[in-house]
Amino acid sequence: MREPASMKLTDSVVQNFRVAKIFRENTDRITSLDYSANGETLISSSDDDSIVIYDCQNGTPKRTLNSKKYGVDLICYTHAVNTALHSSTKVDDTIRYLSLHDNKYIRYFPGHTKKVVTLNMSPINDSFLSGSLDKTIRLWDLRSQNCQGLMHLPGRPVAAFDPDGLIFAAGINSEIVKLYDLRSFDKGPFASFKLSQDRDCDWTGMKFSADGKLILISTNGQVLRLIDAFQGTPLQTFMGFQNNKGIPLEASFSPDSQFALCGSTDGRIHTWNTDTGVRVSVLNCDHPGPVQCVQFNPKYMMLATACTNMAFWLPYIDD
């Protein structure tokens, strides 16, 4: 595995990514994935109620845990690599804090009354954000089952922390982005940007770039939006990928913020240059189903994409 220090991402490196390994650990769609902060492991959730942990350095599945009772979605690591948070798909809409070491729940976070559609861990401390179809965003602390803050919204939310963990962005009703200071978010947003509404799709995800300058908004349609994180200015609209099933396709940044990536329902992975807006590559992996999850490893030169199968990609270097 190549560390980023030894290799720089360029258009041609991105174009030369090839599938190094395909894993068939799941019997149903993989719905979310998350890398550990050190880039050494990857965790995934699936509609088959299983959690699979992969070793990124050896390219092997490490462990499979089952969550048959509650189901599992939106899985993400906490700051400890042996614990994770996930939302539920059965019983209720409680968020669960899981010890991966012994597959036992450490704490439950009840409160949401409809499906949780966004779950985001703070990059700096034990805070996390959740947003639900019950039209609320809640702020939590891992150490308490009680919600630390609650916002009622006019529509479906998406939310994300900035890389410094000092502010968070909330996308509301698929047309407004509001920025909140974590220390005083109960006073309301300190900035609000209205974008032109996408008539035929909803916003389903939001991410800050690692340099904190950009926000990438993903949808359940055939469009991604890139905006300036400070001014809310629309910078790029990424299109040309297929999503004819209304799936919330994940879009992600490369660790250097230079590229945006997204899967498609025809099994391909599209990459755009965030500066120019130009699509630099369409990677084909023969994914048999829609590629819902796409993420770049934060520390190593590798990419993970998932449908029902998980694929690890590495840049092909012609020596």
Side-chain angles (χ1 to χ4, degrees), residues 23-313:
F23 306 96
R24 296 178 175 86
E25 306 299 301
N26 296 99
T27 57
D28 209 334
R29 181 176 62 150
I30 296 167
T31 54
S32 68
L33 49 92
D34 189 40
Y35 284 100
S36 57
N38 62 12
E40 290 174 9
T41 62
L42 176 77
I43 195 165
S44 69
S45 68
S46 167
D47 280 340
D48 65 13
D49 305 331
S50 72
I51 296 164
V52 183
I53 302 166
Y54 297 89
D55 183 320
C56 296
Q57 291 176 307
N58 297 322
T60 53
K62 207 170 169 182
R63 271 188 85 193
T64 298
L65 308 172
N66 289 307
S67 179
K68 297 289 183 200
K69 183 175 178 184
Y70 302 114
V72 56
D73 195 10
L74 301 179
I75 196 144
C76 57
Y77 278 110
T78 65
H79 293 293
V81 289
N82 58 351
T83 58
L85 280 172
H86 70 78
S87 63
S88 313
T89 58
K90 301 174 183 178
V91 182
D92 58 23
D93 298 290
T94 296
I95 295 160
R96 294 180 159 84
Y97 180 20
L98 177 66
S99 164
L100 302 170
H101 168 66
D102 51 9
N103 198 17
K104 289 192 168 66
Y105 287 108
I106 300 166
R107 193 162 287 119
Y108 298 111
F109 302 97
H112 284 301
T113 56
K114 288 188 177 170
K115 181 181 167 72
V116 174
V117 289
T118 188
L119 190 60
N120 202 242
M121 192 74 209
S122 163
I124 59 163
N125 59 27
D126 284 339
S127 306
F128 68 94
L129 282 168
S130 63
S132 158
L133 295 180
D134 63 15
K135 300 181 183 176
T136 65
I137 287 177
R138 289 172 182 261
L139 181 66
W140 310 83
D141 188 301
L142 283 176
R143 295 163 294 190
S144 165
Q145 65 169 26
N146 300 317
C147 158
Q148 309 291 301
L150 172 63
M151 293 162 52
H152 291 276
L153 308 166
R156 176 193 178 121
V158 288
F161 285 100
D162 84 316
D164 296 325
L166 301 175
I167 66 169
F168 69 87
I172 300 153
N173 250 4
S174 303
E175 61 173 347
I176 296 169
V177 176
K178 297 187 175 199
L179 300 181
Y180 295 85
D181 188 314
L182 267 166
R183 292 156 299 191
S184 57
F185 80 96
D186 49 334
K187 296 190 171 73
F190 66 84
S192 193
F193 320 127
K194 193 166 194 294
L195 306 181
S196 60
Q197 196 162 19
D198 295 306
R199 301 222 169 276
D200 41 5
C201 62
D202 297 317
W203 294 357
T204 52
M206 176 182 274
K207 290 183 184 177
F208 278 86
S209 56
D211 62 10
K213 295 177 181 175
L214 306 169
I215 294 174
L216 182 62
I217 298 167
S218 48
T219 71
N220 56 6
Q222 304 189 60
V223 62
L224 310 175
R225 297 195 172 279
L226 187 71
I227 66 169
D228 181 285
F230 305 110
Q231 313 296 330
T233 321
L235 299 174
Q236 310 290 354
T237 301
F238 302 130
M239 299 172 79
F241 60 96
Q242 194 174 304
N243 186 5
N244 49 16
K245 298 185 176 164
I247 292 173
L249 297 176
E250 179 179 35
S252 298
F253 286 105
S254 57
D256 61 5
S257 313
Q258 277 194 94
F259 299 97
L261 305 96
C262 184
S264 62
T265 50
D266 63 4
R268 296 164 199 257
I269 292 90
H270 297 249
T271 312
W272 296 266
N273 186 303
T274 53
D275 236 3
T276 63
V278 171
R279 183 166 52 183
V280 295
S281 73
V282 180
L283 301 170
N284 199 348
C285 162
D286 301 326
H287 268 299
V291 180
Q292 184 168 331
C293 305
V294 177
Q295 276 187 41
F296 230 105
N297 189 305
K299 298 290 183 191
Y300 296 96
M301 191 66 86
M302 71 165 283
L303 181 64
T305 62
C307 59
T308 48
N309 300 339
M310 175 74 74
F312 281 7
W313 303 68

